[in-house]
Amino acid sequence: MKKRSTSLNEHWYSPAVEAVQSYIPGNSVYKTMRAKAARTGTLFILPFIIGFLVFMAKPMVESFIMAFNKVELIAGQGYEQTPVGLDNFNTALRVDAEYNKFLVEEIGQMVINTIATLVISFVVAVILNQEFKGRTLCRAIFFLPVILSSGVLPGIEHQNEFYDMMAGTAEALEGSGVDLSAVLQDLLQVSGVGSKVFDVVFQMIDSIYDIVMASGIQIIVFLSGLQSISPSMYEAAEVEGCSGWESFWKITFPMVSSLLLVNTIYTIIDFFMKNDNKVMERINEVMYKDFNFGVSSAMSWIYFGVALAFIGISAFIISRAVKSYE
């Protein structure tokens, strides 16, 4: 019995214990390839961990405390907090009508944009994985929006007079009856086609610029997964008489499907953090214009909770809908 217990202790580690032992020398887990990969991955994210602890941990704690207090600014002394319980959350959810409206709109837009971004990035990754002349240039072009959207392009969009003039011209053209998207949508609605379905489709079309701008990282992740598939699998499928379409659904998609979770989580977070987010603008307005730090903190934590909820739901669904292949 004692020998059996020892054997169980050696082979049945809980995930938490195994994770800790991966970083502590002198045990069997530390020497495994999985532990080595975990330590290597930790080195890559170590700058973020240090930056989070130094610059973000304290503000997050203070923001959480403010969410349950009424914050009053005192000249020359900083601020004073008075506990109010859940009143700030009640104000955010039941009193502030704009916050609720923006929150619902952004959630709906997030669902549509996430699905569209995943589909477009996967299709583009499949195309870029093919052999053709200029493939390297095409890959660089599709990744270029990631560099531009990191700070250069948003600044141009919000502060450039030429961009404002072009945006005004586009709005004028739409007002003059040149909006082909609206005309086509009206024709489909008159023909009796389901309006709700085409509302979603045309919403995706109207957001194609934002979707393409947000697809760079996802394309790279899918592309790395496609390149990890052994060519021998396609050769075996071809010998068996499988068509390209069958190979796609039997080999390509199943082998890459495990990356859907990574890209979905990244896309959701990226959407919730984008610059033109109406919820973020409302939170900043309450904080900097109304100087209501308690309510703005409550709004921020509600928004954070909504983001975590959608990440959890997505992870639950995708982890059970896809299979991981070695």
Side-chain angles (χ1 to χ4, degrees):
M1 291 297 293
K2 185 176 181 180
K3 185 176 181 180
R4 182 183 179 185
S5 177
T6 303
S7 177
L8 289 175
N9 289 333
E10 290 178 353
H11 296 93
W12 295 96
Y13 296 97
S14 66
V17 174
E18 183 176 350
V20 173
Q21 290 182 339
S22 298
Y23 299 91
I24 301 176
N27 60 79
S28 58
V29 177
Y30 182 84
K31 300 178 181 179
T32 61
M33 291 296 296
R34 184 174 180 178
K36 183 178 179 180
R39 293 193 297 272
T40 303
T42 303
L43 290 177
F44 278 102
I45 65 172
L46 188 60
F48 170 79
I49 296 175
I50 295 174
F52 175 81
L53 294 176
V54 174
F55 299 106
M56 298 178 63
K58 183 179 178 181
M60 282 189 65
V61 174
E62 291 179 349
S63 173
F64 185 76
I65 295 174
M66 285 183 179
F68 298 92
N69 289 269
K70 180 180 179 181
V71 182
E72 296 180 348
L73 298 178
I74 302 176
Q77 300 181 11
Y79 60 88
E80 181 180 3
Q81 299 187 95
T82 304
V84 294
L86 298 176
D87 286 353
N88 291 330
F89 292 90
N90 181 67
T91 301
L93 294 174
R94 305 180 67 178
V95 178
D96 194 314
E98 290 187 354
Y99 178 77
N100 289 329
K101 177 185 175 182
F102 293 153
L103 185 61
V104 173
E105 290 178 354
E106 291 298 324
I107 290 175
Q109 188 67 35
M110 181 273 298
V111 174
I112 295 173
N113 279 26
T114 298
I115 296 174
T117 301
L118 293 174
V119 172
I120 290 177
S121 59
F122 183 70
V123 172
V124 173
V126 172
I127 296 174
L128 294 179
N129 193 48
Q130 306 300 317
E131 294 287 346
F132 60 89
K133 292 183 178 180
R135 183 175 66 171
T136 303
L137 178 61
C138 292
R139 291 179 177 178
I141 291 173
F142 276 101
F143 186 70
L144 191 60
V146 177
I147 301 175
L148 295 176
S149 62
S150 63
V152 178
L153 197 59
I156 295 176
E157 291 180 353
H158 287 87
Q159 300 176 9
N160 190 282
E161 295 180 359
F162 177 75
Y163 179 85
D164 294 337
M165 182 185 69
M166 293 300 294
T169 304
E171 293 178 0
L173 287 175
E174 291 180 1
S176 63
V178 190
D179 190 353
L180 297 178
S181 175
V183 173
L184 183 57
Q185 186 175 8
D186 293 338
L187 289 175
L188 291 171
Q189 289 177 348
V190 172
S191 65
V193 181
S195 59
K196 292 184 178 180
V197 175
F198 279 98
D199 284 342
V200 174
V201 173
F202 280 98
Q203 192 172 355
M204 290 182 181
I205 295 174
D206 293 336
S207 303
I208 190 66
Y209 172 79
D210 295 330
I211 293 172
V212 173
M213 290 291 292
S215 300
I217 297 296
Q218 293 86 332
I219 291 174
I220 291 179
V221 173
F222 279 133
L223 191 58
S224 64
L226 291 171
Q227 292 180 340
S228 66
I229 302 175
S230 175
S232 60
M233 299 185 67
Y234 293 104
E235 294 174 0
E238 186 177 357
V239 171
E240 294 294 332
C242 292
S243 63
W245 183 252
E246 290 173 333
S247 296
F248 174 82
W249 287 109
K250 298 296 183 180
I251 300 176
T252 305
F253 185 77
M255 293 294 292
V256 183
S257 60
S258 59
L259 298 175
L260 283 173
L261 179 59
V262 177
N263 278 339
T264 300
I265 293 176
Y266 176 84
T267 306
I268 292 175
I269 295 175
D270 184 57
F271 179 86
F272 276 119
M273 294 298 295
K274 66 180 185 176
N275 293 329
D276 58 347
N277 193 302
K278 293 181 180 179
V279 178
M280 298 289 289
E281 292 177 355
R282 180 56 185 164
I283 293 173
N284 291 332
E285 183 180 349
V286 173
M287 181 168 54
Y288 293 114
K289 291 185 178 180
D290 301 338
F291 296 102
N292 199 333
F293 296 98
V295 174
S296 64
S297 297
M299 290 179 174
S300 300
W301 281 99
I302 292 172
Y303 193 49
F304 179 69
V306 170
L308 285 182
F310 274 96
I311 291 174
I313 294 172
S314 301
F316 178 81
I317 296 174
I318 295 176
S319 61
R320 283 158 177 76
V322 303
K323 296 181 180 179
S324 178
Y325 295 88
E326 298 291 341

